[in-house]
Amino acid sequence: MNIQEIKNRRHFLKELVALSAFSMFGWEPRAAAGEKTLSEQAITEKTRAENTRAENTRAQNTRLEQALNIEPYRGDDPDRGHALRDGNLPDLCKPSNLGKLETSDSADFVIVGGGITGLITAYKLRNYKTVLLEAGNPGGQSSLEERKGLPYSLGAAYFCDLELVNPLLLELGLNPVCSGLRPMDLIFDNREKINLAESKVPKDSRFAKDLFELGKLLKGYNEAGAISVIAGVKPEQSKLDGIRLAEVLTGFGEPFLRFIDRFLLSSICLTAAEISALAGLYLLQDLFETIYAFPGGNGAISKALAARLDEHISRNAFVWSVQVKGDGAEVIYQAQDSIRKITCKHVIIAAPPIVAGRILQGVSNAEKGPLFSFRYGSYLVSNFIYQNESKQFSNFENFNLSDTAAETSLINDFIPAELVLKSTGSYKPSMGSILTVYSPFQPGSQGRSLLFGSDRVELLTQVAHELSNRTGLEMSTIEAVVPTRWGHAMAAPIPGYFRRLENLLYAGRNNPVYTLNHSSLFGVQCLENAYVAAHYGAERALRRLK
């Protein structure tokens, strides 16, 4: 030990003794004039060390951000949403000042929320004076972006019920790519085929047998008919709504149940132990349906709708209040720094229940109260853009089936964005490769704190390391990372979910001035239920004109 180290050690021991005495007896040696006491010196040193660590962390994150080229978040911006939640309204939006606000416009119909449901609703009402107010860019979780001619999804990637939505797609001139395969066929990499029409049980593996048994279970469930919140849930369906899916999935092997959980997490941010059996069985039908997809996912539909509705859409318009009155509604919203009021004959709220409950005014507690009873999952979508084409991916969905995935992994599954273009022959190697990575978080988990409270660079770097380990793709080949966060993304269909939907729909059914038509209020959130919700909302609005 050199002399300087000895001096430092002695100085440290003196400080330690003095600080111990101070903490025990409140005693501290008097400092000479102009000098700091030992405790003041220690506090200064601690502050300096904390500042140094913070600076080092910032510098390291800057290097990582530059190395990975992590772009700003897309998706939810929580600031105004949290202000609405906390009651921090602009002065002109407060109840006592609403009378001072002059009407800036009027319309037949106002639609609040420009996600896929709001867009389809506006399209059905496009021949009337219809105004769609969207807080950000139209599309919501059905949005896309494009890089080097290769579109990629910021949320929903595909759908299964072509028959239901095809009339709309034909009007929009959209032709989805049919994979010709069910999601399960993709899981098996086209090697194992399951034909539910056959009575013979496959003998290849326990997993295949479990799949076959699930198919038989779903076939029996389908005999009860389609789920319709509008027409009313049938008694046998209500029983399933009252229990958890795990109570129905008995006798299946652990690897198969693990896969079911990964699939459900990606679909709705819940596992079989949490989801209503009715909702879970509805979602599991997709495993036996054909995949239909567009380049960039369901965002292609939103893009086509927005292009045809441009004159009806008011972008960056945040709605603070919807006042329901006897002869119509007043909608108070903020566009940039301007507070505006628009009146209408009928208002359609296509925003999630958690938002609808806070902006809806002038209705009974029976209509409004249930809107606060929902729980929400959140998720992160990370698009990793690679310089070169990757030829190693042939499966559309790539689930993480590790037995420790739930505890340690940030990656639930990923989709190679270029596969849709490759299936049409439109892909060019110069486009490179884009992996769309999904990280779902269950209600009540750390999800929202990770998405809105933690360091973006640290979070995305962790995802990048995990993706590199899973795929073998070098992190040095990443051109950019495009993160999208969805905070209150998925209304969680826990047991009793459909009963709540029925009660909510019934409570507002006789009020002719407004309609709630977010897709989550008509079943499990998906394109198909968005289409049903849009039809319901447009039909109720048109009745107002008769």
Side-chain angles (χ1 to χ4, degrees), residues 101-107 129 331-333 338-343:
L101 194 60
E102 295 183 3
T103 300
S104 56
D105 199 1
S106 63
K129 190 173 182 183
V331 181
I332 315 300
Y333 68 99
S338 175
I339 305 297
R340 303 176 186 177
K341 177 169 71 175
I342 182 171
T343 60

Side-chain angles (χ1 to χ4, degrees), residues 422-533:
K422 284 184 175 182
S423 69
T424 64
S426 304
Y427 175 80
K428 299 176 182 177
S430 59
M431 295 176 176
S433 182
I434 300 178
L435 298 185
T436 304
V437 178
Y438 293 88
S439 306
F441 302 100
Q442 294 152 267
S445 71
Q446 62 178 346
R448 275 184 287 280
S449 62
L450 280 176
L451 295 178
F452 298 104
S454 64
D455 188 276
R456 172 177 58 90
V457 176
E458 182 180 349
L459 178 62
L460 271 297
T461 302
Q462 185 177 344
V463 177
H465 278 293
E466 186 178 337
L467 186 63
S468 178
N469 291 336
R470 281 196 60 192
T471 64
L473 297 175
E474 295 291 336
M475 290 177 62
S476 60
T477 64
I478 297 173
E479 280 190 344
V481 182
V482 180
T484 306
R485 57 185 176 184
W486 303 109
H488 292 84
M490 310 299 291
I494 58 178
Y497 182 76
F498 285 88
R499 184 183 67 253
R500 285 194 292 276
L501 297 187
E502 282 188 304
N503 292 340
L504 188 57
L505 199 65
Y506 181 80
R509 186 168 290 173
N510 294 324
N511 193 318
V513 176
Y514 81 97
T515 297
L516 301 173
N517 82 327
H518 190 261
S519 62
S520 64
L521 298 178
F522 293 80
V524 175
Q525 280 181 247
C526 59
L527 174 63
E528 292 83 350
N529 282 329
Y531 186 85
V532 171

Side-chain angles (χ1 to χ4, degrees), residues 89-155:
L89 309 181
D91 286 340
L92 282 175
C93 297
K94 294 177 180 177
S96 58
N97 293 327
L98 289 178
K100 304 175 184 177
L101 194 60
E102 295 183 3
T103 300
S104 56
D105 199 1
S106 63
D108 292 324
F109 311 117
V110 170
I111 300 169
V112 178
I116 190 69
T117 305
L119 286 169
I120 299 174
T121 307
Y123 183 75
K124 289 178 176 289
L125 299 173
R126 66 192 181 281
N127 294 326
Y128 300 85
K129 190 173 182 183
T130 300
V131 176
L132 188 153
L133 302 174
E134 164 54 36
N137 292 314
Q141 295 173 57
S142 293
S143 298
L144 61 76
E145 289 187 1
E146 187 175 304
R147 197 69 58 102
K148 295 188 295 185
L150 178 56
Y152 54 91
S153 175
L154 302 182

Side-chain angles (χ1 to χ4, degrees), residues 326-488:
D327 58 347
E330 295 178 351
V331 181
I332 315 300
Y333 68 99
Q334 182 173 359
Q336 298 178 345
D337 295 328
S338 175
I339 305 297
R340 303 176 186 177
K341 177 169 71 175
I342 182 171
T343 60
C344 61
K345 297 171 184 175
H346 191 91
V347 61
I348 302 167
I349 304 177
I354 193 173
V355 176
R358 289 186 166 89
I359 63 175
L360 188 60
Q361 308 294 331
V363 301
S364 68
N365 289 335
E367 295 170 75
K368 185 172 178 175
L371 291 168
F372 297 100
S373 66
F374 295 87
R375 302 180 67 203
Y376 293 85
S378 54
Y379 68 101
L380 170 71
V381 181
S382 313
N383 277 285
F384 285 81
I385 299 168
Y386 291 87
Q387 298 170 1
N388 304 315
E389 174 188 6
S390 178
K391 299 180 180 180
Q392 71 185 75
F393 304 113
S394 59
N395 287 3
F396 190 71
E397 288 197 277
N398 300 268
F399 291 95
N400 185 354
L401 299 181
S402 165
D403 56 3
T404 60
E407 292 78 21
T408 62
S409 177
L410 277 172
I411 298 178
N412 192 66
D413 71 310
F414 65 85
I415 293 175
E418 61 270 20
L419 286 188
V420 177
L421 284 184
K422 284 184 175 182
S423 69
T424 64
S426 304
Y427 175 80
K428 299 176 182 177
S430 59
M431 295 176 176
S433 182
I434 300 178
L435 298 185
T436 304
V437 178
Y438 293 88
S439 306
F441 302 100
Q442 294 152 267
S445 71
Q446 62 178 346
R448 275 184 287 280
S449 62
L450 280 176
L451 295 178
F452 298 104
S454 64
D455 188 276
R456 172 177 58 90
V457 176
E458 182 180 349
L459 178 62
L460 271 297
T461 302
Q462 185 177 344
V463 177
H465 278 293
E466 186 178 337
L467 186 63
S468 178
N469 291 336
R470 281 196 60 192
T471 64
L473 297 175
E474 295 291 336
M475 290 177 62
S476 60
T477 64
I478 297 173
E479 280 190 344
V481 182
V482 180
T484 306
R485 57 185 176 184
W486 303 109
H488 292 84

Side-chain angles (χ1 to χ4, degrees), residues 40-68:
E40 289 173 336
Q41 292 176 26
I43 292 171
T44 301
E45 290 296 327
K46 180 181 179 182
T47 302
R48 186 179 294 120
E50 289 175 348
N51 290 339
T52 300
R53 283 194 296 271
E55 289 173 6
N56 291 339
T57 300
R58 283 194 293 270
Q60 181 182 12
N61 286 344
T62 299
R63 289 193 295 272
L64 290 170
E65 184 173 10
Q66 292 171 346
L68 288 174

